[in-house]
Amino acid sequence: DAGVIQSPRHEVTEMGQEVTLRCKPISGHNSLFWYRQTMMRGLELLIYFNNNVPIDDSGMPEDRFSAKMPNASFSTLKIQPSEPRDSAVYFCASSLRGTGGGKETQYFGPGTRLLVL
Amino acid sequence: SQKIEQNSEALNIQEGKTATLTCNYTNYSPAYLQWYRQDPGRGPVFLLLIRENEKEKRKERLKVTFDTTLKQSLFHITASQPADSATYLCALDKAAGNKLTFGGGTRVLVKP
C-alpha cells in the first residue's frame, strides 16, 4: 500500500488567497483525520470523519477553514481566505475503526507545509 | 481543562544507554495511550499502544508503562542507537470515539 497521500507537499501563497489541501487515505480505512502542527501549539486535531461523515470539527479554528470528504478515498481541507497565522504543517491521517470503538492506530501522511505570506 | 505534558527539553543520551521519556496527563480518563515517533519533515509513525488495564508493554527495545493512578506513562528506549534520534509523541484517547489528543513531544538525540 502507498500509505496516506497528501498534496501538495509544499504550498506558498499570499494572504487572502484560497488554499486547498488534498488527502487520499489508505484504501479500506474508514476514519480520516486532519491535523495542524506548529512549534507553538504542537499537533492539533482539526476535524475527523468516520465513513465520510464529519464527526467532530471542534478543532477547526474558524469559518475560514472547511473540510470535505466526498468519498472514501478523498478529502480536502480548504482555507479561504488564508492568513499568515495559518502557516503550519498540515497532516492527514487515516485509520480503520473497529466495531469495538477507538483502539486503532493512525497512519499519517507526509504532510503539507503551508506558508502564507 | 485536559492537559497532556511531555518534557519539552531535548533528551541527549549516549549510545547504548536507556532513554526514558515521560507523559503526564490531567483531567483525563483515557482508555488507552499510544506512542508515536516523528522524524523531521515526516508525519508521526505509530510505535506502541497500551491499554488502561495493562501495566507494561514491550516491543523489541521499546518499553511503555501506564500508571492510571499517577496519570503517567513512561517510554523507555533500551540500548539506544543514533537511529533512535527523533521526536516522540504520546497520544491519549477517550473511551468513546477514536479521537486522539497528542502531547507536545520530546526530542531525543542519541550520540555515538
Side-chain angles (χ1 to χ4, degrees):
Chain A
D1 199 322
V4 176
I5 298 172
Q6 291 188 248
S7 65
R9 292 294 309 276
H10 302 274
E11 177 82 28
V12 180
T13 190
E14 292 189 347
M15 183 173 65
Q17 296 297 306
E18 177 179 296
V19 174
T20 299
L21 311 180
R22 296 173 177 79
C23 175
K24 177 178 168 54
I26 292 173
S27 177
H29 281 189
N30 54 9
S31 294
L32 183 139
F33 308 81
W34 282 102
Y35 291 89
R36 176 173 69 176
Q37 188 173 42
T38 61
M39 289 293 292
M40 288 297 296
R41 300 176 67 88
L43 192 62
E44 302 175 282
L45 178 66
L46 300 177
I47 184 171
Y48 80 92
F49 298 81
N50 281 344
N51 296 316
N52 314 338
V53 176
I55 302 300
D56 186 342
D57 65 355
S58 59
M60 295 286 260
E62 47 198 273
D63 292 345
R64 297 185 297 107
F65 286 68
S66 62
K68 294 182 180 180
M69 192 164 186
N71 57 63
S73 58
F74 184 66
S75 177
T76 59
L77 177 67
K78 189 175 291 187
I79 309 172
Q80 166 64 16
S82 58
E83 296 183 3
R85 60 191 167 126
D86 301 329
S87 297
V89 181
Y90 291 81
F91 288 103
C92 175
S94 70
S95 70
L96 179 61
R97 178 179 170 85
T99 55
K103 297 179 180 61
E104 316 84 17
T105 62
Q106 296 184 12
Y107 296 82
F108 283 77
T112 295
R113 188 173 296 273
L114 173 66
L115 178 60
V116 182
L117 302 173
Chain B
S1 61
Q2 296 164 340
K3 212 171 179 181
I4 303 171
E5 289 184 336
Q6 294 185 255
N7 193 344
S8 59
E9 286 186 23
L11 179 63
N12 293 301
I13 191 165
Q14 202 66 35
E15 182 177 6
K17 301 293 185 182
T18 297
T20 298
L21 287 65
T22 60
C23 176
N24 297 298
Y25 59 93
T26 55
N27 298 322
Y28 251 107
S29 295
Y32 62 94
L33 185 149
Q34 301 183 25
W35 283 89
Y36 287 75
R37 168 184 173 141
Q38 186 173 22
D39 291 282
R42 295 179 176 268
V45 175
F46 170 77
L47 295 174
L48 279 167
L49 177 152
I50 186 166
R51 293 179 169 76
E52 60 179 337
N53 59 354
E54 296 177 317
K55 296 292 185 187
E56 183 179 297
K57 201 80 170 279
R58 290 176 186 261
K59 178 182 176 183
E60 297 173 352
R61 294 183 296 107
L62 306 179
K63 185 179 86 171
V64 171
T65 62
F66 193 9
D67 189 325
T68 55
T69 301
L70 291 179
K71 295 188 182 294
Q72 181 182 76
S73 175
L74 298 179
F75 179 83
H76 305 273
I77 308 171
T78 59
S80 59
Q81 303 169 359
D84 297 326
S85 300
T87 296
Y88 293 85
L89 303 157
C90 68
L92 281 72
D93 87 302
K94 293 182 182 178
N98 56 341
K99 173 177 163 178
L100 289 177
T101 302
F102 283 82
T106 298
R107 186 168 170 236
V108 173
L109 180 60
V110 181
K111 298 180 179 178

